Amino acid sequence: MASDEHPRQAIETVFRMETPRLIAGVARIVRDVGIAEELAQDALVAALEQWPEQGVPDNPGAWLMTAAKRRAIDLVRRRERYARKLAEVGRDLESAPPHVDEPADPDAIDDDLLRLVFTACHPVLSAEARVALTLRLLGGLTTAEIARAMLTPEPTVAQRIVRAKRTLATKGVAFEVPYGPDREDRLGSVLEVIYLIFNEGYAATAGDDWLRPALCEDALRLARVLAGLMPKESEVHGLAALLELQASRSAARTGPAGEPVLLADQSRARWNQMLIRRGFAALARAQAVAAGALGPYALQAAIAACHAHAHTYEETDWQQIAALYGLLAARVPSPVVELNRAVAVSRAEGPEAGLVLVDALADEPALKGYHLLPSVRGDLLARLGRSAEARAEFERAASLARNGRERELLLTRAADC
């Protein structure tokens, strides 16, 4: 960071970058993410007061961390119930080197960040609360930005964040990385939250925009951070690979007016080759550290890799994709996975084979009201030349779709039958 950069611009840039580390570092001291966030904000206020007068420090991130930790220590000192910790932390502070610009221990910061990830994504919180709190604490988004991203009123998001922090405090959720039997479940929650954020950006469930790139970028950044923090976890690399590969197609997924472009119609020249290479590398790491069979995210990444390897839609190895979906269905059976497998089978073996699988899902309660079930069925019927039935299915899918762009696409497909 150049020292002659405009102080306010420097503060905004640094604070956005350093917020998760500040909160994580302070939360380790105060054991409360809500209070940690407030202390991080206090450090920002101190920067706003001092940097315009004194100049931007050579290591602004370390400056903010020192300021936030000093406030945390002051707070701890004021609390009688933290008397023992007061003495320990006070001794640490007195013995610490006096230079405020000295970088903190990278390993300690990584440990703190990991604790923050697991705390923000704790299963004691609802999925909506986990997403909001993760975007706030780790993504550095404001309440207004989260509200815009999730198409949720700002007061609702604010309440979710407040209640989430209160729940973590009242439930006594430890600021720690779980180990042993709890770790896999907790890690599953962490990965699920990041994937939910990405999916909402990749194919918005509602609203007028098909894509929300900022959400995809936030999720991808979180996945990369997590992969760096947990290099020996195959599923973490699997999720990172999946998001890299899916994100590589983002530019090709919409037309000039923002309309959705189906995979078969996408210009592969617009696929981002750098992200594809990153996805391949992450998938290779997932395979290298896997203790046994690949997990669900790595399997989905392997499916995405099949698409990335094909130079044209016609070159796609649908046999391999169908086989991978079979493995995925065996690992994590679900109606949605089975619907996706039906699509792959229809491409590998013909639409009649896919239709058999889709019709077997007709009474599945989990897919009731799910617009992609009639959408897929409509596509298969259209390929079989059963136009009237296909039109009816596309119209039914359009009536269920909550995203305006997707609804328009389905109505167009109905009109084409």
Side-chain angles (χ1 to χ4, degrees), residues 315-353:
E315 291 181 12
T316 305
D317 187 349
W318 289 106
Q319 293 283 358
Q320 177 66 12
I321 292 175
L324 288 167
Y325 268 119
L327 294 174
L328 184 63
R331 184 71 187 266
V332 283
S334 84
V336 173
V337 171
E338 194 64 14
L339 184 61
N340 289 331
R341 189 172 80 86
V343 174
V345 168
S346 78
R347 291 296 172 182
E349 303 175 17
E352 287 185 349

Side-chain angles (χ1 to χ4, degrees), residues 210-224:
W210 173 237
L211 294 179
R212 295 192 196 121
L215 275 181
C216 291
E217 292 169 6
D218 283 332
L220 189 52
R221 182 167 55 81
L222 291 174
R224 289 170 180 166

Side-chain angles (χ1 to χ4, degrees), residues 30 75 85 97 127 169 209 214 240 252 270 272 284 289 305 328 333 361 380 383 394:
V30 299
L75 177 65
K85 184 167 237 1
D209 294 324
R270 301 186 66 194
N272 187 313
V289 300
L328 184 63
L361 297 169
L380 298 176
R383 288 165 56 194
F394 283 131

Side-chain angles (χ1 to χ4, degrees), residues 129-160:
R130 277 180 267 162
V131 168
L133 194 60
T134 301
L135 287 175
R136 176 63 168 268
L137 299 182
L138 291 153
L141 273 64
T142 65
T143 302
E145 289 172 331
I146 297 170
R148 283 198 298 273
M150 306 306 296
L151 297 180
T152 304
E154 190 172 336
T156 302
V157 171
Q159 288 176 359
R160 281 180 186 164

